[in-house]
Amino acid sequence: MMLLDVQEIQTFYGGSQALFGVRLSMAEGEVVALMGRNGMGKSTTIKSICNLMPPKSGRIIFAGTPTDRQPPHRVARLGIGLVPEGRRCFPNLSVYENLVAAARSGHWTLERVNQLFPRLAERRDQMARSLSGGEQQMLAVGRALMTNPKLLILDEATEGLAPVIRQDIWRAIRTLKGEGLSILVVDKTLSELLPVADRCVILENGRNVWQGRPGDLSGDLQDRYLGV
């Protein structure tokens, strides 16, 4: 069943156009990698899906519901859990308070999040601002899971983290995929991203330039659209 259908969206920053007819679709249980160099429209696409930056044209349908006239909090309640770039935990709340702040009943409980990220259980009463960057990223993922989303969106979830923490995040992503959670993920670590993805969508200058299965993403395509 189709979970997300992004149809030819055009999104602007003021008078400057950022997306030019971007298309993206996801089935339930699918993991899709949204790829491209920096500044090519990946984060803008995510913000448009969440209606944080409403497209000026095109259409987005999530779980059978058009989202274009829904405020961001209602889009989230449809079942989208966002882990934004830069983590953005509530710094003056404890780990526990961050996790339960937007929690909704369902499969993901505090106990299950703590099983996925044992460090969060160890730091239950610490203020989020006192955590390391990697621990804050775990907290951001856990907070999104506590909303019991139908779709989890990860925007650069491992950027700037120590290698051991990156491995913890990727382990969690593999676990979530194994449980059938739909995931839209942006990340530059192709060695970890491609094995977990079912499909890849590449953007360049706010436009779709390629999509297909990870095994079809040749070295030439990587150099052309993803190389520095």
Side-chain angles (χ1 to χ4, degrees):
M1 177 180 173
M2 186 68 67
L3 180 64
L4 175 68
D5 189 14
V6 178
Q7 304 174 1
E8 301 285 345
I9 60 170
Q10 301 192 55
T11 302
F12 290 73
Y13 287 90
S16 178
Q17 188 167 0
L19 301 183
F20 300 81
V22 166
R23 307 176 307 280
L24 190 152
S25 63
M26 290 184 64
E28 288 186 0
E30 192 173 28
V31 177
V32 173
L34 183 59
M35 307 169 74
R37 295 185 182 93
N38 289 341
M40 293 299 167
K42 304 183 300 295
S43 290
T44 304
T45 298
I46 287 172
K47 290 175 183 176
S48 296
I49 291 169
C50 298
N51 224 26
L52 296 167
M53 288 188 63
K56 287 200 172 179
S57 65
R59 201 174 191 211
I60 299 174
I61 300 172
F62 178 73
T65 300
T67 65
D68 53 311
R69 296 187 180 181
Q70 303 273 358
H73 71 277
R74 292 195 180 277
V75 174
R77 287 187 178 182
L78 290 174
I80 295 179
L82 173 62
V83 180
E85 187 176 11
R87 298 178 281 275
R88 301 183 192 176
C89 301
F90 300 117
N92 296 322
L93 297 182
S94 68
V95 167
Y96 170 78
E97 289 167 335
N98 266 273
L99 290 174
V100 302
R104 302 177 71 189
S105 62
H107 176 72
W108 283 98
T109 62
L110 187 63
E111 181 181 6
R112 295 206 72 247
V113 168
N114 286 335
Q115 289 172 352
L116 187 67
F117 296 120
R119 291 192 189 202
L120 298 183
E122 296 168 4
R123 289 153 176 75
R124 182 184 189 276
D125 297 321
Q126 279 187 231
M127 295 296 105
R129 66 173 177 269
S130 71
L131 301 178
S132 70
E135 290 164 349
Q136 288 184 23
Q137 190 63 278
M138 294 176 187
L139 181 56
V141 175
R143 181 180 60 187
L145 290 173
M146 287 288 287
T147 69
N148 277 283
K150 298 174 184 174
L151 169 64
L152 180 67
I153 301 179
L154 302 166
D155 192 359
E156 299 286 6
T158 69
E159 185 176 29
L161 301 182
V164 65
I165 301 296
R166 286 205 303 268
Q167 290 306 311
D168 286 341
I169 299 295
W170 284 114
R171 173 190 54 77
I173 292 171
R174 291 191 293 271
T175 297
L176 296 173
K177 176 178 178 169
E179 295 191 1
L181 182 62
S182 305
I183 306 172
L184 177 63
V185 56
V186 172
D187 203 278
K188 298 183 182 69
T189 313
L190 298 187
S191 61
E192 296 286 357
L193 178 60
L194 295 181
V196 79
D198 297 306
R199 282 191 304 114
C200 303
V201 175
I202 299 179
L203 303 182
E204 186 171 61
N205 296 320
R207 295 177 171 86
N208 292 74
V209 291
W210 188 85
Q211 65 175 339
R213 298 195 173 278
D216 298 326
L217 184 58
S218 66
D220 287 344
L221 286 168
Q222 292 183 36
D223 290 341
R224 186 185 313 169
Y225 296 123
L226 306 175
V228 176

